[in-house]
Amino acid sequence: RDGVEPETVVKHADTALMRAKSQGPGTVRVFTEEMNESVVKTLTMHNRIRRALDAEEFLPFFQPQVDLSTGEIVGMEALARWISPELGMVSPVEFIPVAEEYGLIDPLCDQILYAACRINKSWQDAGLSAVPVAVNISGRQFQNSRRLLQTVEAVLSETGLDPCYLELELTESSAMRDPENAIAVVAQLRDRGIACSIDDFGTGYSSLSVLKRFPIQKLKIDRSFVSDVTTDANDAAIVKAILAMAHALRMKVVAEGVETTDHLEFLRDAACDQMQGYYFSRPLPAVDMEAMFRAGRRLTLPQRD
Ligand code: C2E
Ligand code: MG
Ligand code: MG
């Protein structure tokens, strides 16, 4: 069914094997035609990513996170950017899924993790504000927890960054895919002094019985709820419900994608702890983030009536 010539059958089996490997240990995949099409499409991207890794073309941008009661910068998220000589600046939405599929997510995220920690340490050494940097961890990295923990150890010892200035973000959907493993990894990280937060909260399917057992301190509300929070009563209700639940579980809440004064005021009235979004700043190259620290910039909170 999967080919007339023996070579074709073997090639297709190989394609299915690649797909299975990319999805983690113990996975079985049967070849489908769709795999073939997507293979051709992503192959070019894959080769480019491989070369870009050698050339170290991936680097973190930084987006500040601001405390909604004081207006101070209390953290920042490292967001991967690919500055490609051929393609220009490429968004992670395009290259992260391909890197995941082809088993390149580990070296790619290692580069981002290392650079984020090294740069954060250099800012602290220069006497600029000391805040944690949050690094995104893909679901695959969380599955291979031994490697993740070893990498984090190596990066901390090489850069000299104190673990309290590193935070890891895992998405709600990857946290819930294999919750027992995720809970164990988060607990090990916590014992090592590294906090974890749950990213894109509200877009996955959380089991509340699992959530209450997660040793995390922070939830990030996905920006899809924030964007219409002042116009869509359902989104407003969801955001308030997430805040009530998270606070009852003693977690802090960060709202993502805050773009307007209306968003900000809604979130402040609803007692949201922190915000991240274009309203205060887009993700910035390291030099611009550094300039922001040097200038001591903070959020001017609108006057309450
Ligand atoms: P995320 O972790 O939820 O990151 C937030 C995304 O929202 C970022 O998109 C950010 O640029 C964008 N954003 C922030 N504020 C606003 C706003 O006010 N309005 C709008 N419209 N968007 C805003 P970005 O940088 O394209 O990253 C997309 C996703 O790619 C991230 O979502 C994260 O899941 C993934 N990602 C980024 N860097 C890495 C990385 O180093 N490793 C891994 N594994 N994933 C990464
Ligand atoms: Mg994130
Ligand atoms: Mg997010």
Side-chain angles (χ1 to χ4, degrees), residues 201-219:
F201 191 79
T203 59
Y205 301 93
S206 269
S207 144
L208 298 182
S209 63
V210 169
L211 194 65
K212 72 168 189 201
R213 290 169 48 221
F214 250 101
I216 59 152
Q217 289 84 24
K218 228 186 205 183
L219 283 190

Side-chain angles (χ1 to χ4, degrees), residues 6-22:
E7 291 77 22
T8 314
V9 178
V10 171
K11 203 177 111 225
H12 289 169
D14 215 41
T15 304
L17 176 68
M18 281 233 297
R19 178 68 65 97
K21 277 186 175 169
S22 77

Side-chain angles (χ1 to χ4, degrees), residues 172-214:
E172 180 185 25
S173 43
S174 54
M176 294 298 159
R177 201 174 302 137
D178 182 0
E180 294 312 319
N181 172 59
I183 289 173
V185 182
V186 171
Q188 286 182 65
L189 287 162
R190 183 204 49 197
D191 293 345
R192 191 56 188 85
I194 300 160
C196 289
S197 53
I198 294 196
D199 201 0
D200 302 344
F201 191 79
T203 59
Y205 301 93
S206 269
S207 144
L208 298 182
S209 63
V210 169
L211 194 65
K212 72 168 189 201
R213 290 169 48 221
F214 250 101

Side-chain angles (χ1 to χ4, degrees), residues 77 79 136 169 199 220 256:
E77 178 173 6
L79 291 154
N136 292 284
E169 292 190 2
D199 201 0
K220 300 186 73 178
E256 296 186 312

Side-chain angles (χ1 to χ4, degrees), residues 9 21 37 71 145 184 199 236 252 270 272-273 277 279:
V9 178
K21 277 186 175 169
E37 285 156 24
S145 56
D199 201 0
K252 294 233 187 284
C272 182
D273 304 278
Y279 181 79

Side-chain angles (χ1 to χ4, degrees), residues 106-180:
D106 283 334
L108 199 163
C109 289
D110 290 357
Q111 281 187 10
I112 299 296
L113 177 69
Y114 182 80
C117 290
R118 183 178 50 75
I119 295 168
N120 197 20
K121 174 72 170 137
S122 75
W123 287 335
Q124 294 176 13
D125 290 346
L128 302 172
S129 16
V131 297
V133 63
V135 176
N136 292 284
I137 299 298
S138 85
R140 255 207 81 189
Q141 290 175 287
F142 243 82
Q143 283 170 10
N144 193 350
S145 56
R146 186 157 358 124
R147 184 186 188 281
L148 176 66
L149 293 162
Q150 280 170 354
T151 308
V152 167
E153 267 331 313
V155 168
L156 290 176
S157 87
E158 267 177 59
T159 59
L161 185 74
D162 190 300
C164 72
Y165 294 117
L166 174 63
E167 217 175 87
L168 301 182
E169 292 190 2
L170 77 156
T171 63
E172 180 185 25
S173 43
S174 54
M176 294 298 159
R177 201 174 302 137
D178 182 0
E180 294 312 319

